[in-house]
Amino acid sequence: MTIREYAKSVGFEIVGKLTRRPEWEYTRDDFTGKKKHSGCKHYSDEGGNEYISGKRGVCIVTADDAVI
């Protein structure tokens, strides 16, 4: 399911266009200090909402920090 399909199915409106944020996709390993990919793709829209897409589906984090 795409981000747009998921947002529509839960009644959430995407504000403007989606922009991929690859810099948000990396975490730092606490033991080695190296950056590693989280395995998910991160996007944001023009309203400040964040969208995380991965193997298990899609998660929406709204601009006011609610999780859908």
Side-chain angles (χ1 to χ4, degrees), residues 3 8 10-12 15-16 18-19 22 24 27 29 39-40 48 50 55-56 58-59 63-64 67:
I3 292 172
K8 185 177 180 180
V10 296
F12 188 80
V15 181
L18 289 173
T19 304
W24 296 351
T27 59
D29 187 317
C40 298
E50 300 175 24
K55 292 179 183 177
R56 295 186 178 186
V58 177
C59 178
D64 59 352
V67 177

Side-chain angles (χ1 to χ4, degrees), residues 49-64:
N49 302 303
E50 300 175 24
Y51 306 87
I52 304 163
S53 176
K55 292 179 183 177
R56 295 186 178 186
V58 177
C59 178
I60 300 173
V61 181
T62 64
D64 59 352

Side-chain angles (χ1 to χ4, degrees), residues 16-41:
K17 68 175 186 168
L18 289 173
T19 304
R20 183 149 180 216
R21 303 293 183 177
E23 65 275 11
W24 296 351
E25 297 174 6
Y26 290 88
T27 59
R28 187 163 305 278
D29 187 317
D30 292 333
F31 297 108
T32 63
K34 295 181 181 180
K35 288 171 60 174
K36 65 179 187 176
H37 196 273
S38 66
C40 298
K41 294 180 182 177

